[in-house]
Amino acid sequence: MLPSGLKETQLRESNNNQKVHPQPMEESINQNPEAMEALISNLFGNISSLKSAYIELQSAHTPYDPEKIQAADKVVISELKNLSELKHFYRENNPKPVCVSPQDSRLAAEIQEQQSLLKTYEVMVKKFQSEIQNKDSEITQMLQKIDEANQKRLKLEKNLKLRGMSTNEGSGGDGNLQFPDLTTELFISTYEAAAKAVHDFSKPLINMMKAAGWDLDSAANSIEPDVVYAKRPHKKYAFESYICQRMFSGFQQKNFSVNSESAMVMADDDTDTFFRQFLALKDMDPLDALGTNPDSNFGIFCRSKYLILVHPKMEASFFGNLDQRDYVTGGGHPRTAFYQAFLKLAKTVWILHRLAYSFDPAAKIFQVKKGSEFSDSYMESVVKNIVVDEKEENPRVGLMVMPGFWIGGSVIQSRVYVSGVKVLE
């Protein structure tokens, strides 16, 4: 046995060696060469895979392929995670000596690693958000295209339905009747026909005034006072204005001021019915249409407009009595030449209204007030070759002869008489 003093000396040395030189954990990889070799092999393999994934990510950008980029991104993230796991595995099995420094180097390394991963995830999140926004934009565009396609489909279905309706709703029972397409051009041509009808009806109206001994100058001035006409014959536009003001009154309403219990009620969105009524009357003689159904909406419209347009004093001076007026008031439609001329005018205005509400959205009427500054953007002078003095103020509207319309993105100019201008011969 060793002496007691020597034994205590050896124990002290042994304890001191343990404090100054701590031994690694029993399961340390350094004590297992095969585990270390496997770890290094996995590390090299992981780095090779990461390099390959990064090359795939670069190649996916030229040409730009979102699906390949997304797939390559996932592989890169996966390989980075594998590297992180290898690092954790190594550190857990190879702990460093305890550090007495205020800052723990291992904790700092962990924080740095987590920050790096966080930055990587932030980049990926931003990229995914950008892709989501792009997809949302594509979805919005596709929905707009679908909506446009549905609108075109509805228009085609409407045209097909109208083309397939019974010829009894058309004119004269012609089996070969051709139905026009619902277009802006159709509305413009119908508008031109209405303007011509106003002009045509003003002629017999003025002639009957002359025959009755009316003072036409005074009559024109009573319609719209203080209009400076370039020529005396231009006063005819005052009578055309008078006709338009009364015939187009209430045009902005769907029922066109036809208020009667017997009038057919129109659905708010029944554009097909409006277009069908337009087609049914477009080529018919108005008196024949009224003979078939004198109390139709069109018949009610004609009676109400005649009573507004032709004042009792006017009619008495024309015919010497009010018999025709009484006949119309009683629900009839006389076959006199004057009333038939009026019916041609009433028909063109009525079918223009039917056509306006065949569109979705409907064509909108607008009027120009007397004294408005003339603008060729939405006005047209009924007198051509007008001369505007640059030294004088801008010309002003004296009369609105025909209202204008907005239809879709187009403007049909209002027709006006410009007051106080000169006209080239």
Side-chain angles (χ1 to χ4, degrees), residues 5 149 160 187 258 265 292 306 387:
L160 288 173
F187 187 85
V258 177
V265 178
T292 303
Y306 178 83
V387 179

PDB file of all heavy atoms in Angstrom, residues 5 149 160 187 258 265 292 306 387:
ATOM      1  N   GLY A   5       0.343   9.887   2.787  1.00  0.00           N
ATOM      2  CA  GLY A   5       0.714  11.210   2.234  1.00  0.00           C
ATOM      3  C   GLY A   5       0.846  11.176   0.734  1.00  0.00           C
ATOM      4  O   GLY A   5       0.392  12.079   0.027  1.00  0.00           O
ATOM      5  N   ALA A 149     -67.178  38.943 -72.263  1.00  0.00           N
ATOM      6  CA  ALA A 149     -67.676  37.839 -73.093  1.00  0.00           C
ATOM      7  C   ALA A 149     -69.148  37.567 -72.802  1.00  0.00           C
ATOM      8  O   ALA A 149     -69.937  37.294 -73.722  1.00  0.00           O
ATOM      9  CB  ALA A 149     -66.842  36.586 -72.840  1.00  0.00           C
ATOM     10  N   LEU A 160     -80.359  37.018 -81.716  1.00  0.00           N
ATOM     11  CA  LEU A 160     -80.892  35.753 -82.223  1.00  0.00           C
ATOM     12  C   LEU A 160     -82.357  35.590 -81.862  1.00  0.00           C
ATOM     13  O   LEU A 160     -83.168  35.127 -82.668  1.00  0.00           O
ATOM     14  CB  LEU A 160     -80.080  34.585 -81.649  1.00  0.00           C
ATOM     15  CG  LEU A 160     -78.662  34.412 -82.215  1.00  0.00           C
ATOM     16  CD1 LEU A 160     -77.917  33.338 -81.434  1.00  0.00           C
ATOM     17  CD2 LEU A 160     -78.711  34.054 -83.687  1.00  0.00           C
ATOM     18  N   PHE A 187     -78.989  53.831 -84.375  1.00  0.00           N
ATOM     19  CA  PHE A 187     -79.570  54.930 -83.608  1.00  0.00           C
ATOM     20  C   PHE A 187     -79.368  56.265 -84.332  1.00  0.00           C
ATOM     21  O   PHE A 187     -80.274  57.100 -84.382  1.00  0.00           O
ATOM     22  CB  PHE A 187     -78.946  54.993 -82.213  1.00  0.00           C
ATOM     23  CG  PHE A 187     -79.596  55.994 -81.305  1.00  0.00           C
ATOM     24  CD1 PHE A 187     -80.728  55.665 -80.578  1.00  0.00           C
ATOM     25  CD2 PHE A 187     -79.087  57.282 -81.196  1.00  0.00           C
ATOM     26  CE1 PHE A 187     -81.343  56.594 -79.746  1.00  0.00           C
ATOM     27  CE2 PHE A 187     -79.686  58.219 -80.366  1.00  0.00           C
ATOM     28  CZ  PHE A 187     -80.821  57.872 -79.639  1.00  0.00           C
ATOM     29  N   VAL A 258     -96.304  58.635 -70.968  1.00  0.00           N
ATOM     30  CA  VAL A 258     -97.553  57.940 -71.256  1.00  0.00           C
ATOM     31  C   VAL A 258     -98.104  57.429 -69.931  1.00  0.00           C
ATOM     32  O   VAL A 258     -97.752  56.346 -69.461  1.00  0.00           O
ATOM     33  CB  VAL A 258     -97.342  56.777 -72.245  1.00  0.00           C
ATOM     34  CG1 VAL A 258     -98.652  56.023 -72.466  1.00  0.00           C
ATOM     35  CG2 VAL A 258     -96.809  57.303 -73.569  1.00  0.00           C
ATOM     36  N   VAL A 265     -97.082  48.329 -68.796  1.00  0.00           N
ATOM     37  CA  VAL A 265     -95.980  48.650 -67.902  1.00  0.00           C
ATOM     38  C   VAL A 265     -94.730  47.933 -68.382  1.00  0.00           C
ATOM     39  O   VAL A 265     -94.747  46.738 -68.655  1.00  0.00           O
ATOM     40  CB  VAL A 265     -96.314  48.233 -66.458  1.00  0.00           C
ATOM     41  CG1 VAL A 265     -95.135  48.526 -65.532  1.00  0.00           C
ATOM     42  CG2 VAL A 265     -97.562  48.958 -65.985  1.00  0.00           C
ATOM     43  N   THR A 292    -105.082  48.979 -85.998  1.00  0.00           N
ATOM     44  CA  THR A 292    -105.062  47.649 -85.373  1.00  0.00           C
ATOM     45  C   THR A 292    -105.230  47.744 -83.863  1.00  0.00           C
ATOM     46  O   THR A 292    -105.951  46.947 -83.250  1.00  0.00           O
ATOM     47  CB  THR A 292    -103.737  46.932 -85.708  1.00  0.00           C
ATOM     48  OG1 THR A 292    -103.590  46.860 -87.123  1.00  0.00           O
ATOM     49  CG2 THR A 292    -103.713  45.523 -85.120  1.00  0.00           C
ATOM     50  N   TYR A 306    -100.342  65.207 -79.654  1.00  0.00           N
ATOM     51  CA  TYR A 306    -101.111  66.081 -80.556  1.00  0.00           C
ATOM     52  C   TYR A 306    -101.803  67.188 -79.762  1.00  0.00           C
ATOM     53  O   TYR A 306    -101.790  68.363 -80.156  1.00  0.00           O
ATOM     54  CB  TYR A 306    -102.147  65.265 -81.330  1.00  0.00           C
ATOM     55  CG  TYR A 306    -103.006  66.119 -82.232  1.00  0.00           C
ATOM     56  CD1 TYR A 306    -102.562  66.501 -83.505  1.00  0.00           C
ATOM     57  CD2 TYR A 306    -104.262  66.568 -81.825  1.00  0.00           C
ATOM     58  CE1 TYR A 306    -103.340  67.300 -84.327  1.00  0.00           C
ATOM     59  CE2 TYR A 306    -105.046  67.371 -82.644  1.00  0.00           C
ATOM     60  CZ  TYR A 306    -104.578  67.731 -83.889  1.00  0.00           C
ATOM     61  OH  TYR A 306    -105.354  68.546 -84.704  1.00  0.00           O
ATOM     62  N   VAL A 387     -70.138  82.951 -89.762  1.00  0.00           N
ATOM     63  CA  VAL A 387     -68.899  83.698 -89.584  1.00  0.00           C
ATOM     64  C   VAL A 387     -68.914  84.306 -88.186  1.00  0.00           C
ATOM     65  O   VAL A 387     -69.853  85.010 -87.819  1.00  0.00           O
ATOM     66  CB  VAL A 387     -68.755  84.808 -90.646  1.00  0.00           C
ATOM     67  CG1 VAL A 387     -67.467  85.593 -90.410  1.00  0.00           C
ATOM     68  CG2 VAL A 387     -68.780  84.214 -92.040  1.00  0.00           C
TER      69      VAL A 387
END
